[in-house]
Amino acid sequence: MVKWLRSSKSGMWVITVIRLWLGFQWLMDGVGKVTGGFSAKGFVANAIANPVMDPHGAQAVGWYTPFLKSFVMPNINVFSFMVAWGELLVGLGLLLGTLTTAAAFFGVVMNFAYLFAGTISTNPTYVLLGMLIMIAGFNAGKIGLDHWVVPFMREKMPWLKRSVE
């Protein structure tokens, strides 16, 4: 399956459809936040007050609540900005096929942050699709601007020429 995603023409088309759908979802989420005066303060406060618990009644992710309390809450305006613009940029990257694997990676990172905070919603689906895009690598962005961007970057940054296959 990995070889098919990374090198086949049919895999390229399948992953492109997935990439476009996921990119549109991220873009719409980001546009709503960027244009709607979004603040993560209520979300983070709820995640601190109601941490995810394991079956034994202990915090499932013990380090996350202290991180939210001591680092995120004091810098909530910065995090609100990063969430809104991060979602918008992930969406643009996936829709345009520009730095596709990086966009998918940062989308997956944001989804895990939401999952650690206890929000299920569409996050597991986004994680799964983002992982598929990352596995597909360059093939995920061939029908997109990566067709030109990646070869240009590999020429300018020789360390990018290494193959991961």
Side-chain angles (χ1 to χ4, degrees):
M1 169 113 173
V2 171
K3 186 175 181 177
W4 177 75
L5 276 175
R6 294 183 67 82
S7 58
S8 77
K9 198 167 230 171
S10 58
M12 175 184 67
W13 283 102
V14 168
I15 207 70
T16 298
V17 170
I18 291 169
R19 187 196 72 188
L20 291 172
W21 181 84
L22 187 59
F24 180 76
Q25 302 306 312
W26 275 111
L27 183 69
M28 291 298 96
D29 291 345
V31 166
K33 287 179 175 78
V34 167
T35 61
F38 168 75
S39 174
K41 189 172 189 174
F43 177 82
V44 173
N46 186 53
I48 292 169
N50 303 299
V52 177
M53 305 304 266
D54 69 14
H56 307 290
Q59 285 190 19
V61 189
W63 58 270
Y64 201 62
T65 303
F67 168 73
L68 291 175
K69 275 185 197 175
S70 63
F71 189 70
V72 175
M73 259 322 208
N75 301 297
I76 196 66
N77 291 333
V78 173
F79 277 87
S80 295
F81 177 86
M82 289 186 346
V83 166
W85 283 96
E87 288 184 4
L88 183 91
L89 291 172
V90 165
L92 282 174
L94 292 174
L95 269 178
L96 298 174
T98 309
L99 302 175
T100 305
T101 52
F105 170 78
F106 286 110
V108 168
V109 168
M110 281 192 285
N111 283 129
F112 273 116
Y114 304 152
L115 287 167
F116 289 155
T119 302
I120 299 298
S121 184
T122 58
N123 294 309
T125 303
Y126 286 15
V127 167
L128 178 64
L129 297 178
M131 296 287 236
L132 287 174
I133 292 168
M134 287 190 293
I135 290 167
F138 179 62
N139 216 23
K142 273 187 182 173
I143 302 174
L145 295 177
D146 275 351
H147 179 76
W148 296 281
V149 171
V150 170
F152 174 79
M153 289 179 64
R154 286 182 178 164
E155 179 185 318
K156 298 296 180 189
M157 297 176 232
W159 54 272
L160 289 175
K161 289 183 183 178
R162 286 183 273 152
S163 176
V164 292
E165 292 178 15

